[in-house]
């Protein structure tokens, strides 16, 4: 019986993982994310997720203080305009039996 050799997998670019390989070697994916940078995981040939180190994620996500929103509002050329919320005379209330 003659054995048919399977074609070799093409080498994957650095930082790119097939989902099945990433699952099987997750510790290595995490280690490389910390040491080499973002690791892309593909499903059916498309990037689906990127594994990044926690420090990099915090840097990208930024601080959730609202400081950027306050700065944008203060830089607005319309900041002197007063905006009053529109209110109806009476809010709709329904009767409830207790």
């Amino acid at each position: 019986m003659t054995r048919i050799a399977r074609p070799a997998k093409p080498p994957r670019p650095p930082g790119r993982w097939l989902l099945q390989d990433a699952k099987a070697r997750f510790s290595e994916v995490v280690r490389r994310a910390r040491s080499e940078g973002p690791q892309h995981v593909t499903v059916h040939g498309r990037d689906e997720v990127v594994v990044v180190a926690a420090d990099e994620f915090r840097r990208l996500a930024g601080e959730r203080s609202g400081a950027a929103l306050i700065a944008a509002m203060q830089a607005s050329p319309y900041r002197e305009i007063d905006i009053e919320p529109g209110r109806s005379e009476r809010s709709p209330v329904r009767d409830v039996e207790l």
Side-chain angles (χ1 to χ4, degrees):
M1 178 184 262
T2 305
R3 181 174 277 188
I4 299 173
R6 291 184 179 170
K9 287 183 182 178
R12 72 173 184 271
R16 299 221 174 261
W17 300 81
L18 298 174
L19 177 62
Q20 68 234 22
D21 294 338
K23 286 171 28 178
R25 298 166 58 190
F26 189 67
S27 295
E28 184 178 352
V29 173
V30 171
R31 182 183 58 75
R32 286 189 181 194
R34 288 193 339 230
S35 65
E36 298 173 12
Q39 301 294 302
H40 299 256
V41 179
T42 63
V43 177
H44 303 297
R46 293 184 322 226
D47 279 351
E48 290 294 329
V49 299
V50 178
V51 179
V52 296
D55 290 340
E56 178 69 3
F57 178 77
R58 282 189 285 274
R59 185 186 70 76
L60 292 171
E63 190 177 321
R64 294 184 180 233
S65 67
L69 175 60
I70 292 169
M73 292 175 76
Q74 288 175 339
S76 170
Y78 304 107
R79 71 180 204 198
E80 299 300 323
I81 296 174
D82 287 331
I83 300 174
E84 305 241 355
R87 307 242 170 158
S88 63
E89 290 295 317
R90 188 160 187 229
S91 298
V93 179
R94 63 185 181 118
D95 292 329
V96 178
E97 289 185 36
L98 298 176

Coordinates of all heavy atoms in Angstrom, one line a residue:
M1 N 0.8 -1.2 0.0 CA 0.0 0.0 0.0 C 0.9 1.2 0.0 O 1.8 1.3 0.8 CB -0.9 0.0 1.2 CG -1.8 1.2 1.3 SD -2.7 1.2 2.8 CE -4.3 0.6 2.2
T2 N 0.6 2.2 -0.8 CA 1.3 3.4 -0.9 C 0.7 4.5 -0.1 O -0.5 4.7 -0.2 CB 1.4 3.9 -2.4 OG1 2.0 2.8 -3.2 CG2 2.3 5.1 -2.6
R3 N 1.5 5.2 0.7 CA 0.9 6.2 1.5 C 1.1 7.5 0.7 O 2.1 7.8 0.1 CB 1.7 6.3 2.8 CG 1.3 7.4 3.7 CD 2.0 7.4 5.0 NE 1.3 6.4 5.8 CZ 1.6 6.2 7.1 NH1 2.5 6.9 7.7 NH2 0.9 5.3 7.8
I4 N 0.0 8.3 0.7 CA 0.0 9.6 0.0 C 0.4 10.7 1.0 O -0.3 10.8 2.0 CB -1.4 9.9 -0.6 CG1 -1.8 8.8 -1.6 CG2 -1.4 11.3 -1.2 CD1 -3.2 9.0 -2.2
A5 N 1.4 11.4 0.7 CA 1.9 12.5 1.6 C 0.9 13.7 1.5 O 0.5 14.1 0.4 CB 3.3 12.9 1.2
R6 N 0.6 14.2 2.6 CA -0.2 15.4 2.6 C 0.7 16.6 2.3 O 1.8 16.7 2.7 CB -0.8 15.6 4.0 CG -1.8 14.6 4.4 CD -2.4 15.0 5.7 NE -3.4 14.1 6.1 CZ -4.0 14.0 7.3 NH1 -3.6 14.9 8.2 NH2 -4.9 13.2 7.5
P7 N 0.1 17.6 1.6 CA 0.9 18.8 1.3 C 1.2 19.5 2.6 O 0.4 19.5 3.5 CB 0.1 19.6 0.4 CG -1.3 19.0 0.4 CD -1.2 17.6 1.0
A8 N 2.4 20.1 2.7 CA 2.7 20.8 3.9 C 1.9 22.1 4.0 O 1.6 22.7 3.0 CB 4.2 21.2 3.9
K9 N 1.5 22.4 5.3 CA 0.8 23.7 5.5 C 1.7 24.8 5.1 O 2.9 24.8 5.4 CB 0.4 23.8 7.0 CG -0.7 22.9 7.4 CD -1.0 23.3 8.9 CE -2.1 22.4 9.4 NZ -2.4 22.7 10.8
P10 N 1.1 25.8 4.5 CA 2.0 27.0 4.2 C 2.3 27.7 5.5 O 1.5 27.7 6.4 CB 1.1 27.9 3.3 CG -0.3 27.4 3.5 CD -0.2 26.0 4.0
P11 N 3.5 28.2 5.6 CA 3.9 28.9 6.9 C 3.0 30.1 7.1 O 2.7 30.9 6.2 CB 5.3 29.3 6.6 CG 5.5 29.4 5.1 CD 4.5 28.4 4.6
R12 N 2.5 30.2 8.4 CA 1.7 31.3 8.7 C 2.5 32.5 9.1 O 3.6 32.4 9.6 CB 0.7 31.0 9.8 CG 1.3 30.8 11.1 CD 0.3 30.6 12.2 NE 0.9 30.6 13.5 CZ 1.4 29.6 14.1 NH1 1.3 28.4 13.5 NH2 2.1 29.6 15.2
P13 N 2.0 33.7 8.7 CA 2.8 34.9 9.1 C 2.9 35.0 10.6 O 2.0 34.5 11.3 CB 1.9 36.1 8.5 CG 1.0 35.4 7.6 CD 0.8 34.0 8.0
P14 N 3.9 35.6 11.1 CA 4.0 35.8 12.6 C 2.8 36.6 13.1 O 2.3 37.5 12.5 CB 5.3 36.6 12.8 CG 6.0 36.6 11.4 CD 5.0 36.2 10.4
G15 N 2.4 36.1 14.3 CA 1.2 36.8 14.9 C -0.1 36.4 14.4 O -1.1 37.1 14.7
R16 N -0.2 35.4 13.6 CA -1.5 34.9 13.0 C -1.7 33.5 13.3 O -0.8 32.7 13.2 CB -1.5 35.1 11.5 CG -1.3 36.5 11.1 CD -2.2 36.9 9.9 NE -2.2 38.3 9.6 CZ -3.1 39.2 10.0 NH1 -4.1 38.8 10.7 NH2 -3.0 40.4 9.7
W17 N -2.9 33.1 13.8 CA -3.2 31.8 14.2 C -4.5 31.3 13.7 O -5.5 32.1 13.7 CB -3.3 31.7 15.8 CG -2.1 32.2 16.5 CD1 -1.7 33.4 16.8 CD2 -1.1 31.3 17.1 NE1 -0.5 33.4 17.5 CE2 -0.1 32.1 17.7 CE3 -1.0 29.9 17.2 CZ2 1.0 31.6 18.3 CZ3 0.1 29.4 17.8 CH2 1.1 30.2 18.4
L18 N -4.6 30.1 13.2 CA -5.9 29.5 12.9 C -6.5 29.2 14.2 O -5.9 28.9 15.2 CB -5.7 28.2 12.2 CG -5.0 28.3 10.8 CD1 -4.7 26.8 10.3 CD2 -5.8 29.0 9.8
L19 N -7.8 29.3 14.3 CA -8.6 29.1 15.5 C -8.2 27.8 16.2 O -7.9 27.7 17.4 CB -10.1 29.2 15.3 CG -10.9 28.9 16.5 CD1 -10.7 30.0 17.6 CD2 -12.4 28.9 16.2
Q20 N -8.1 26.7 15.4 CA -7.8 25.4 16.1 C -6.4 25.4 16.7 O -6.2 24.8 17.7 CB -8.0 24.2 15.1 CG -7.0 24.2 13.9 CD -7.7 24.2 12.6 OE1 -8.8 24.6 12.4 NE2 -7.0 23.8 11.6
D21 N -5.5 26.0 16.0 CA -4.1 26.1 16.5 C -4.1 27.0 17.8 O -3.4 26.7 18.8 CB -3.1 26.7 15.5 CG -3.0 25.7 14.3 OD1 -3.3 24.5 14.5 OD2 -2.6 26.2 13.2
A22 N -4.8 28.1 17.8 CA -4.8 29.0 18.9 C -5.4 28.3 20.1 O -4.9 28.5 21.3 CB -5.6 30.3 18.6
K23 N -6.5 27.5 19.9 CA -7.1 26.7 21.0 C -6.1 25.7 21.6 O -6.0 25.6 22.8 CB -8.3 26.0 20.5 CG -9.5 27.0 20.4 CD -10.7 26.5 19.7 CE -11.0 25.0 19.8 NZ -12.3 24.6 19.2
A24 N -5.4 25.0 20.7 CA -4.5 24.0 21.1 C -3.2 24.5 21.8 O -2.6 23.9 22.7 CB -4.1 23.1 20.0
R25 N -2.9 25.8 21.5 CA -1.6 26.4 22.0 C -1.9 27.7 22.6 O -1.1 28.7 22.5 CB -0.6 26.5 20.8 CG -0.3 25.1 20.2 CD 0.4 25.1 18.9 NE 1.7 25.9 19.0 CZ 2.4 26.2 17.9 NH1 1.9 25.9 16.7 NH2 3.5 26.9 18.0
F26 N -3.0 27.8 23.4 CA -3.4 29.1 23.9 C -2.3 29.7 24.8 O -2.1 30.9 24.8 CB -4.7 28.9 24.7 CG -5.3 30.2 25.1 CD1 -5.8 31.1 24.2 CD2 -5.4 30.6 26.5 CE1 -6.3 32.3 24.6 CE2 -5.9 31.8 26.9 CZ -6.4 32.7 25.9
S27 N -1.6 28.9 25.6 CA -0.6 29.5 26.5 C 0.5 30.2 25.7 O 1.0 31.2 26.0 CB 0.1 28.4 27.3 OG -0.9 27.8 28.2
E28 N 0.8 29.6 24.5 CA 1.8 30.2 23.6 C 1.3 31.5 23.0 O 2.0 32.5 22.9 CB 2.3 29.3 22.5 CG 3.4 29.8 21.7 CD 3.8 28.9 20.6 OE1 3.5 27.7 20.6 OE2 4.6 29.3 19.8
V29 N 0.0 31.5 22.6 CA -0.6 32.7 22.1 C -0.6 33.8 23.1 O -0.2 35.0 22.8 CB -2.1 32.5 21.7 CG1 -2.8 33.7 21.3 CG2 -2.2 31.4 20.6
V30 N -0.9 33.5 24.4 CA -0.8 34.5 25.4 C 0.6 35.0 25.7 O 0.9 36.2 25.8 CB -1.4 34.0 26.8 CG1 -1.2 34.9 27.9 CG2 -2.9 33.7 26.6
R31 N 1.5 34.1 25.7 CA 2.9 34.5 25.9 C 3.4 35.4 24.8 O 4.1 36.4 25.0 CB 3.8 33.2 26.0 CG 5.3 33.5 26.3 CD 6.1 32.2 26.3 NE 6.1 31.5 25.0 CZ 6.7 31.8 23.9 NH1 7.4 32.9 23.8 NH2 6.6 31.1 22.8
R32 N 3.1 35.0 23.6 CA 3.5 35.9 22.4 C 2.8 37.2 22.4 O 3.4 38.2 22.0 CB 3.3 35.1 21.1 CG 4.3 34.0 20.9 CD 4.2 33.4 19.5 NE 5.1 32.4 19.4 CZ 5.4 31.9 18.2 NH1 4.9 32.4 17.1 NH2 6.3 30.9 18.1
A33 N 1.6 37.3 22.9 CA 0.9 38.6 22.9 C 1.6 39.5 23.9 O 1.7 40.7 23.6 CB -0.6 38.4 23.4
R34 N 2.1 38.9 25.0 CA 2.8 39.8 25.9 C 4.2 40.2 25.4 O 4.7 41.3 25.6 CB 3.0 39.0 27.3 CG 1.6 39.0 28.0 CD 1.7 38.6 29.4 NE 2.9 37.9 29.9 CZ 2.9 36.7 30.5 NH1 1.7 36.2 30.9 NH2 4.0 36.2 30.9
S35 N 4.9 39.2 24.7 CA 6.3 39.5 24.3 C 6.4 40.1 22.9 O 7.3 40.9 22.7 CB 7.1 38.2 24.4 OG 6.7 37.2 23.5
E36 N 5.6 39.7 22.0 CA 5.7 40.1 20.6 C 4.7 41.1 20.1 O 4.8 41.7 19.0 CB 5.7 38.9 19.7 CG 6.8 37.9 20.0 CD 6.7 36.6 19.2 OE1 5.9 36.5 18.2 OE2 7.4 35.6 19.5
G37 N 3.6 41.2 20.8 CA 2.5 42.1 20.4 C 1.2 41.3 20.0 O 1.1 40.1 20.3
P38 N 0.3 42.0 19.4 CA -1.0 41.5 19.2 C -0.9 40.2 18.3 O -0.1 40.1 17.4 CB -1.7 42.6 18.4 CG -1.1 43.8 18.8 CD 0.4 43.4 19.0
Q39 N -1.8 39.2 18.7 CA -1.9 37.9 18.0 C -3.3 37.8 17.4 O -4.3 37.9 18.1 CB -1.6 36.8 19.0 CG -0.3 36.8 19.7 CD 0.9 36.7 18.7 OE1 1.0 35.7 18.0 NE2 1.8 37.6 18.7
H40 N -3.3 37.7 16.1 CA -4.6 37.6 15.3 C -5.0 36.2 15.2 O -4.2 35.3 14.8 CB -4.4 38.2 13.9 CG -4.0 39.6 13.9 ND1 -4.9 40.6 13.6 CD2 -2.8 40.2 14.2 CE1 -4.2 41.8 13.7 NE2 -3.0 41.6 14.1
V41 N -6.3 35.9 15.5 CA -6.9 34.6 15.4 C -7.9 34.6 14.2 O -8.8 35.5 14.2 CB -7.5 34.1 16.7 CG1 -8.1 32.7 16.5 CG2 -6.5 34.1 17.8
T42 N -7.7 33.7 13.3 CA -8.5 33.7 12.1 C -9.5 32.5 12.1 O -9.2 31.5 12.7 CB -7.7 33.6 10.8 OG1 -7.0 32.3 10.8 CG2 -6.7 34.7 10.7
V43 N -10.7 32.8 11.5 CA -11.7 31.7 11.3 C -12.1 31.8 9.9 O -12.5 32.9 9.4 CB -12.9 32.0 12.2 CG1 -14.0 30.9 12.0 CG2 -12.5 32.0 13.7
H44 N -12.0 30.7 9.2 CA -12.3 30.6 7.7 C -11.5 31.7 7.0 O -12.0 32.3 6.0 CB -13.8 30.8 7.5 CG -14.6 29.7 8.2 ND1 -14.5 28.4 8.0 CD2 -15.6 29.9 9.1 CE1 -15.4 27.7 8.7 NE2 -16.0 28.6 9.5
G45 N -10.2 31.9 7.4 CA -9.4 32.8 6.6 C -9.6 34.3 6.9 O -8.9 35.1 6.4
R46 N -10.5 34.6 7.8 CA -10.7 36.0 8.2 C -10.3 36.3 9.6 O -10.6 35.5 10.5 CB -12.2 36.4 8.0 CG -12.7 36.3 6.6 CD -14.2 36.8 6.6 NE -14.9 36.3 7.8 CZ -16.1 35.7 7.8 NH1 -16.7 35.6 6.7 NH2 -16.6 35.3 8.9
D47 N -9.7 37.5 9.9 CA -9.4 37.8 11.2 C -10.7 37.9 12.0 O -11.7 38.6 11.6 CB -8.7 39.2 11.3 CG -7.2 39.1 11.0 OD1 -6.7 38.0 10.9 OD2 -6.6 40.2 10.8
E48 N -10.8 37.3 13.2 CA -12.0 37.4 14.0 C -11.8 38.0 15.3 O -12.6 38.8 15.8 CB -12.6 36.0 14.2 CG -13.2 35.4 13.0 CD -14.5 36.1 12.5 OE1 -15.2 36.7 13.3 OE2 -14.7 36.1 11.3
V49 N -10.6 37.7 16.0 CA -10.3 38.3 17.2 C -8.8 38.6 17.2 O -8.0 38.0 16.5 CB -10.6 37.4 18.5 CG1 -12.1 37.2 18.5 CG2 -9.9 36.1 18.5
V50 N -8.4 39.5 18.2 CA -7.0 39.8 18.4 C -6.7 39.7 19.9 O -7.4 40.3 20.7 CB -6.6 41.2 17.9 CG1 -5.2 41.5 18.1 CG2 -6.9 41.4 16.4
V51 N -5.7 38.9 20.2 CA -5.3 38.8 21.6 C -4.2 39.8 21.9 O -3.2 39.8 21.2 CB -4.8 37.3 21.9 CG1 -4.4 37.2 23.4 CG2 -5.9 36.3 21.6
V52 N -4.4 40.6 22.9 CA -3.4 41.6 23.2 C -3.1 41.5 24.7 O -3.9 41.1 25.5 CB -3.9 43.1 22.9 CG1 -4.1 43.3 21.4 CG2 -5.1 43.5 23.6
A53 N -2.0 42.0 25.1 CA -1.6 42.0 26.5 C -2.5 43.0 27.3 O -3.0 44.0 26.7 CB -0.1 42.5 26.6
A54 N -2.7 42.7 28.5 CA -3.6 43.6 29.3 C -3.2 45.0 29.4 O -4.0 45.9 29.3 CB -3.8 43.0 30.7
D55 N -1.9 45.3 29.5 CA -1.4 46.6 29.6 C -1.7 47.4 28.3 O -2.1 48.5 28.3 CB 0.1 46.7 29.8 CG 0.5 46.2 31.2 OD1 -0.4 46.3 32.1 OD2 1.7 45.8 31.4
E56 N -1.5 46.7 27.1 CA -1.8 47.3 25.8 C -3.3 47.6 25.7 O -3.7 48.6 25.2 CB -1.3 46.4 24.7 CG -1.6 46.9 23.3 CD -0.8 48.1 22.9 OE1 0.0 48.6 23.7 OE2 -1.1 48.6 21.8
F57 N -4.1 46.7 26.2 CA -5.6 46.9 26.1 C -6.0 48.1 27.0 O -6.8 48.9 26.5 CB -6.3 45.6 26.7 CG -7.8 45.8 26.7 CD1 -8.6 45.7 25.5 CD2 -8.5 46.1 27.9 CE1 -9.9 45.9 25.5 CE2 -9.8 46.3 27.9 CZ -10.6 46.2 26.7
R58 N -5.4 48.2 28.2 CA -5.8 49.4 29.0 C -5.3 50.7 28.4 O -6.0 51.7 28.4 CB -5.1 49.2 30.4 CG -5.9 48.3 31.3 CD -5.3 48.3 32.8 NE -4.0 47.6 32.9 CZ -3.9 46.3 33.1 NH1 -4.9 45.6 33.2 NH2 -2.7 45.8 33.2
R59 N -4.2 50.6 27.7 CA -3.7 51.8 27.0 C -4.6 52.2 25.9 O -5.0 53.4 25.7 CB -2.3 51.6 26.5 CG -1.6 52.8 25.9 CD -0.3 52.5 25.2 NE -0.5 51.7 24.0 CZ -0.9 52.2 22.8 NH1 -1.2 53.5 22.7 NH2 -1.0 51.4 21.8
L60 N -5.0 51.2 25.1 CA -5.9 51.5 24.0 C -7.3 51.9 24.4 O -8.0 52.8 23.8 CB -6.0 50.2 23.1 CG -4.8 49.9 22.3 CD1 -4.9 48.5 21.7 CD2 -4.4 50.9 21.3
A61 N -7.8 51.3 25.5 CA -9.2 51.6 26.0 C -9.2 53.0 26.6 O -10.3 53.6 26.6 CB -9.6 50.5 27.0
G62 N -8.2 53.4 27.2 CA -8.1 54.7 27.8 C -8.8 54.7 29.1 O -9.4 53.7 29.6
E63 N -8.7 55.8 29.8 CA -9.3 56.0 31.1 C -10.8 56.3 31.0 O -11.2 57.1 30.1 CB -8.6 57.1 31.9 CG -8.9 57.2 33.3 CD -8.1 58.3 34.0 OE1 -7.0 58.5 33.6 OE2 -8.7 59.0 34.8
R64 N -11.6 55.7 31.8 CA -13.1 55.9 31.7 C -13.5 57.0 32.7 O -14.4 56.7 33.5 CB -13.8 54.6 31.9 CG -13.5 53.6 30.8 CD -14.4 52.4 31.0 NE -14.1 51.5 30.0 CZ -15.0 50.9 29.2 NH1 -16.3 51.2 29.5 NH2 -14.7 50.1 28.3
S65 N -12.9 58.1 32.6 CA -13.2 59.2 33.6 C -14.2 60.2 33.0 O -14.8 61.0 33.8 CB -12.0 59.9 34.0 OG -11.4 60.6 32.9
G66 N -14.4 60.2 31.7 CA -15.2 61.2 31.1 C -14.4 62.5 30.8 O -15.0 63.5 30.3
A67 N -13.1 62.5 31.0 CA -12.3 63.7 30.8 C -12.3 64.1 29.4 O -12.4 65.3 29.0 CB -10.9 63.5 31.3
A68 N -12.3 63.1 28.4 CA -12.3 63.4 27.0 C -13.6 64.1 26.6 O -13.6 65.0 25.8 CB -12.0 62.2 26.2
L69 N -14.7 63.6 27.1 CA -16.0 64.2 26.8 C -16.1 65.7 27.3 O -16.5 66.6 26.7 CB -17.2 63.4 27.4 CG -18.6 64.0 27.2 CD1 -18.9 64.2 25.8 CD2 -19.6 63.1 27.9
I70 N -15.6 65.9 28.6 CA -15.6 67.2 29.2 C -14.8 68.2 28.3 O -15.1 69.3 28.0 CB -15.2 67.2 30.6 CG1 -16.2 66.4 31.5 CG2 -14.9 68.5 31.2 CD1 -15.8 66.1 32.9
A71 N -13.6 67.7 27.9 CA -12.7 68.5 27.1 C -13.3 68.9 25.8 O -13.2 70.0 25.3 CB -11.3 67.8 26.9
A72 N -14.0 67.9 25.2 CA -14.6 68.2 23.9 C -15.7 69.2 24.0 O -15.9 70.1 23.2 CB -15.2 66.9 23.3
M73 N -16.5 69.1 25.1 CA -17.6 70.0 25.3 C -17.1 71.4 25.6 O -17.6 72.4 25.1 CB -18.5 69.5 26.4 CG -19.3 68.3 26.1 SD -20.3 67.6 27.4 CE -21.6 68.7 27.4
Q74 N -16.0 71.5 26.4 CA -15.4 72.8 26.7 C -14.8 73.4 25.5 O -14.7 74.7 25.4 CB -14.4 72.7 27.8 CG -15.0 72.4 29.1 CD -14.0 72.1 30.2 OE1 -12.9 71.8 30.0 NE2 -14.5 72.3 31.5
A75 N -14.3 72.6 24.5 CA -13.7 73.2 23.3 C -14.7 73.6 22.2 O -14.4 74.2 21.2 CB -12.7 72.1 22.7
S76 N -16.0 73.2 22.4 CA -17.0 73.5 21.5 C -17.2 75.0 21.3 O -17.3 75.7 22.3 CB -18.3 72.8 21.9 OG -19.4 73.3 21.1
P77 N -17.4 75.4 20.1 CA -17.7 76.9 19.9 C -19.1 77.2 20.3 O -19.5 78.4 20.4 CB -17.6 77.0 18.3 CG -17.8 75.7 17.8 CD -17.3 74.7 18.8
Y78 N -20.0 76.2 20.7 CA -21.3 76.5 21.1 C -21.5 76.3 22.6 O -22.6 76.1 23.1 CB -22.3 75.5 20.4 CG -22.2 75.6 18.9 CD1 -21.6 74.6 18.1 CD2 -22.7 76.8 18.2 CE1 -21.5 74.8 16.7 CE2 -22.6 76.9 16.8 CZ -22.0 75.9 16.1 OH -21.8 76.0 14.8
R79 N -20.5 76.3 23.3 CA -20.6 76.0 24.8 C -21.3 77.0 25.6 O -21.8 76.8 26.7 CB -19.2 75.8 25.4 CG -18.3 77.0 25.5 CD -17.0 76.6 26.2 NE -16.5 77.7 26.8 CZ -15.2 77.8 27.2 NH1 -14.4 76.9 26.9 NH2 -14.8 78.9 27.8
E80 N -21.5 78.2 25.1 CA -22.2 79.3 25.8 C -23.8 79.2 25.6 O -24.5 79.9 26.3 CB -21.8 80.7 25.3 CG -20.3 80.9 25.6 CD -19.9 80.8 27.1 OE1 -20.7 81.2 27.9 OE2 -18.8 80.3 27.3
I81 N -24.2 78.3 24.7 CA -25.6 78.1 24.5 C -26.2 77.3 25.6 O -25.7 76.2 25.9 CB -25.9 77.5 23.1 CG1 -25.4 78.4 22.0 CG2 -27.4 77.2 22.9 CD1 -25.5 77.7 20.6
D82 N -27.3 77.8 26.2 CA -28.1 77.0 27.2 C -29.0 76.1 26.5 O -29.8 76.5 25.7 CB -28.8 78.0 28.1 CG -27.9 78.7 29.1 OD1 -26.8 78.2 29.4 OD2 -28.3 79.9 29.5
I83 N -29.0 74.9 26.9 CA -29.9 73.9 26.4 C -30.8 73.5 27.5 O -30.4 72.9 28.6 CB -29.2 72.6 25.9 CG1 -28.2 73.1 24.7 CG2 -30.1 71.6 25.4 CD1 -27.3 72.0 24.3
E84 N -32.1 73.7 27.3 CA -33.1 73.3 28.3 C -33.8 72.1 27.8 O -34.3 72.1 26.7 CB -34.1 74.5 28.6 CG -33.4 75.7 29.0 CD -33.8 76.2 30.3 OE1 -34.7 75.6 30.9 OE2 -33.2 77.2 30.8
P85 N -34.0 71.1 28.6 CA -34.7 69.9 28.2 C -36.2 70.2 28.0 O -36.8 70.9 28.9 CB -34.5 68.8 29.3 CG -34.1 69.6 30.5 CD -33.4 70.9 30.0
G86 N -36.8 69.7 27.0 CA -38.2 69.9 26.8 C -39.0 69.0 27.7 O -38.7 67.9 27.9
R87 N -40.0 69.6 28.4 CA -40.8 68.8 29.4 C -42.2 69.0 29.1 O -42.7 70.1 28.8 CB -40.5 69.3 30.8 CG -39.1 69.4 31.2 CD -38.8 68.5 32.3 NE -37.3 68.5 32.4 CZ -36.7 68.1 33.4 NH1 -37.3 67.8 34.5 NH2 -35.4 68.1 33.4
S88 N -43.0 67.9 29.2 CA -44.4 68.0 29.0 C -45.0 68.5 30.3 O -44.3 68.5 31.4 CB -45.0 66.7 28.6 OG -44.8 65.8 29.7
E89 N -46.2 69.0 30.3 CA -46.8 69.6 31.5 C -46.9 68.5 32.6 O -46.6 68.7 33.7 CB -48.2 70.1 31.2 CG -48.2 71.4 30.3 CD -47.5 72.5 31.1 OE1 -47.8 72.7 32.3 OE2 -46.7 73.2 30.5
R90 N -47.3 67.3 32.2 CA -47.4 66.3 33.1 C -46.9 64.9 32.6 O -47.2 64.6 31.4 CB -48.9 66.2 33.5 CG -49.2 65.2 34.6 CD -50.6 65.5 35.2 NE -50.7 64.7 36.4 CZ -51.7 63.9 36.6 NH1 -52.7 63.9 35.8 NH2 -51.7 63.2 37.7
S91 N -46.2 64.2 33.4 CA -45.7 62.9 32.9 C -46.9 61.9 33.0 O -47.7 62.0 33.9 CB -44.6 62.4 33.8 OG -43.5 63.3 33.8
P92 N -47.0 61.0 32.0 CA -48.0 60.0 32.1 C -47.8 59.1 33.2 O -46.7 58.6 33.5 CB -47.9 59.3 30.7 CG -46.5 59.6 30.2 CD -46.1 60.9 30.8
V93 N -48.9 58.9 34.0 CA -48.8 58.0 35.2 C -50.0 57.0 35.0 O -51.1 57.4 34.7 CB -49.0 58.8 36.5 CG1 -48.9 57.9 37.7 CG2 -47.9 59.8 36.6
R94 N -49.8 55.8 35.4 CA -50.9 54.8 35.3 C -51.3 54.4 36.7 O -50.5 54.5 37.6 CB -50.5 53.6 34.5 CG -49.4 52.8 35.1 CD -49.0 51.6 34.2 NE -48.0 50.9 34.8 CZ -48.0 49.6 35.1 NH1 -49.1 48.9 34.8 NH2 -47.0 49.0 35.6
D95 N -52.6 54.1 36.8 CA -53.1 53.7 38.1 C -52.6 52.3 38.4 O -52.6 51.4 37.6 CB -54.6 53.7 38.1 CG -55.1 55.2 38.1 OD1 -54.4 56.1 38.6 OD2 -56.2 55.4 37.5
V96 N -52.3 52.1 39.7 CA -51.9 50.7 40.1 C -52.7 50.4 41.4 O -52.8 51.2 42.3 CB -50.4 50.7 40.5 CG1 -49.9 49.4 41.0 CG2 -49.5 51.1 39.3
E97 N -53.2 49.2 41.4 CA -54.0 48.7 42.6 C -53.0 48.0 43.5 O -52.2 47.2 43.1 CB -55.1 47.8 42.2 CG -56.2 48.5 41.4 CD -57.4 47.5 41.2 OE1 -57.6 46.6 42.0 OE2 -58.0 47.7 40.1
L98 N -53.1 48.4 44.8 CA -52.2 47.8 45.7 C -53.0 46.9 46.7 O -54.1 47.0 47.0 CB -51.5 48.8 46.6 CG -50.6 49.7 45.8 CD1 -50.0 50.8 46.7 CD2 -49.5 49.0 45.1

